[in-house]
Amino acid sequence: MTDAQERLAPPPPGYRALFRHPVASRLVTARAISELGDFVGLAALLLLAYDQTRSVLGPAAVYAARMLPALLVATVFSGWLDVPARRTMLIWLSVAGAVLIAVPAAVPQPVPAIVAAGLLGGVRAAYSSVNVAIVAEAVDIPLRLPLFGLSAFANQAGQVTGLLAGASVTVALGPRTALVIDLVSFLLAAVVLAGLPVNRQERRGPRPPATAGVRTIAGHPVLRGVAVLTLGTVLSGALPEALAPDLARGAWRPVVLAASALGGAVFVLLAGRRAWLARVAGQVAVSAALAGALLLAGVLVAVDAPAWALAGANALIGAGGGWLIGAQATFARLAPKERMGQVEVTIVAANIAVSGCGIFLLGGTATLLGPAAAYLAAGVVLLGVVLLARPDRLPEAAD
């Protein structure tokens, strides 16, 4: 979109319009319920892994375990994601999440927690791809950017509330109670999704090969650049939460744990209706600011800054990561609609894989060299990616 086009284009509709739409309203509601429960459960899994291993590598393993199942969904099973009715698939994916989280709820030990977290990574990758496919099929274009923004706000607000509540419940009552709350949220989301309108499934072509999503992204210069920038961002996306148990104690631990999500929630709510975030140049600028926030956090940890300063730095990191809703809008605008589901699951799985590898490597860096080194390494890597990728320089970005 050129500057002239942006000035002439009408602003995106308000968030209230989403709740008057029969599909968008239920997708957002189900997302809010599911995200809240997910992060209550995640806080329990992270603290369970840390308290029983006494190492940052415990929480890192919870994140890293999601990688292989997500990659299998994005490759081996990706061609099948559009075969069943999409409403039915979303419902059964929610039920599958409830079944998986029941395992560590019944046996609250590190190994069941890591296995359940891994399989949930595959479920989340499939759910996100089908969700975006429904948006592309049933939600009007002007509503999509606000929908992505409000969905991201539900994710970030769910992190803030869920991590605070999950950590508090886990400390007070143990991890089993928090995991049961997560289980119930999956079932409630399935009930909400059951009310989606039933539309006749469009006639689709033959099942595409498993590599179609990768080839689509690699073949488009702007999508390729935005994808690289996205991967550079998610490499350290879980770092604030993974390091929080080691950096804060007592009442400050839940605050430092949830600060990144709070910053992200505020950013996406404010930016979700701003056209500049849909432009690749704006996305590159925010990702560069994120690199600066990571470097700032590293310096604060190195000088043994107080917990409130670390919480502030984590909030800036979360705000910087909010540019990813712009990346999602770019993919929705430039990717072929008939491949949207497969393209989405490819980038979601790649994000999970890179995030898992990144948090494991950065967690190892924190263990060997200290948390400050992990923050600084993440900032340097992202800054290098920003300088190398720069998809905003391509003429296709203005189309």
Side-chain angles (χ1 to χ4, degrees):
M1 182 181 294
T2 65
D3 292 338
Q5 288 173 327
E6 184 178 339
R7 286 193 298 268
L8 293 174
Y15 289 126
R16 290 183 180 179
L18 294 175
F19 293 97
R20 294 194 292 267
H21 192 283
V23 174
S25 60
R26 287 192 174 270
L27 291 179
V28 169
T29 303
R31 180 75 179 265
I33 293 170
S34 181
E35 294 288 2
L36 178 60
D38 283 351
F39 288 106
V40 169
L42 179 60
L45 295 177
L46 290 174
L47 293 179
L48 173 66
Y50 179 80
D51 289 339
Q52 297 202 11
T53 62
R54 307 309 303 175
S55 170
V56 172
L57 292 179
V62 170
Y63 280 108
R66 302 178 299 171
M67 178 175 60
L68 182 58
L71 287 176
L72 288 174
V73 169
T75 54
V76 177
F77 302 110
S78 65
W80 295 96
L81 288 174
D82 289 329
V83 174
R86 285 168 174 161
R87 184 187 74 158
T88 301
M89 193 165 190
L90 283 185
I91 293 170
W92 281 110
L93 286 170
S94 295
V95 173
V99 172
L100 289 173
I101 206 66
V103 175
V107 186
Q109 298 293 329
V111 172
I114 292 169
V115 171
L119 294 176
L120 282 169
V123 169
R124 287 180 68 86
Y127 185 97
S128 295
S129 69
V130 178
N131 191 295
V132 171
I134 290 177
V135 171
E137 187 175 74
V139 178
D140 298 334
I141 291 176
L143 279 175
R144 290 178 190 170
L145 183 59
L147 176 56
F148 291 146
L150 197 57
S151 295
F153 176 75
N155 174 272
Q156 299 293 339
Q159 287 190 51
V160 175
T161 308
L163 290 174
L164 284 171
S168 300
V169 169
T170 299
V171 170
L173 303 175
R176 180 175 283 119
T177 302
L179 294 172
V180 168
I181 293 172
D182 191 8
L183 187 156
V184 171
S185 74
F186 275 114
L187 297 179
L188 288 176
V191 171
V192 172
L193 292 169
L196 283 170
V198 179
N199 294 325
R200 182 179 59 83
Q201 190 171 4
E202 293 182 1
R203 182 178 180 83
R204 301 185 179 96
R207 181 169 59 88
T211 58
V214 174
R215 291 206 302 264
T216 299
I217 295 170
H220 195 295
V222 177
L223 293 183
R224 185 170 63 243
V226 173
V228 171
L229 202 58
T230 297
L231 297 180
T233 297
V234 301
L235 181 76
S236 57
L239 189 61
E241 289 82 8
L243 295 181
D246 195 47
L247 293 174
R249 295 290 183 271
W252 277 105
R253 178 186 271 191
V255 176
V256 175
L257 186 67
S260 175
L262 177 60
V266 172
F267 179 86
V268 298
L269 188 63
L270 295 176
R273 294 194 61 231
R274 301 295 183 268
W276 63 267
L277 192 60
R279 301 180 64 203
V280 180
Q283 297 160 28
V284 173
V286 180
S287 60
L290 171 58
L294 288 164
L295 295 174
L296 173 63
V299 172
L300 291 175
V301 173
V303 300
D304 199 22
W308 63 264
L310 299 180
N314 278 352
L316 291 176
I317 291 170
W323 80 267
L324 293 174
I325 66 169
Q328 195 170 26
T330 297
F331 271 83
R333 176 167 61 93
L334 299 179
K337 294 297 183 288
E338 66 275 11
R339 292 284 183 268
M340 192 64 238
Q342 199 166 17
V343 167
E344 178 69 13
V345 76
T346 299
I347 196 65
V348 167
N351 287 349
I352 291 174
V354 171
S355 176
C357 290
I359 197 57
F360 195 75
L361 293 173
L362 292 171
T365 301
T367 300
L368 294 174
L369 303 175
Y375 275 122
L376 292 172
V380 169
V381 169
L382 179 56
L383 188 59
V385 171
V386 170
L387 294 175
L388 289 174
R390 294 304 303 270
D392 58 317
R393 292 181 174 177
L394 296 171
E396 291 88 348
D399 289 346

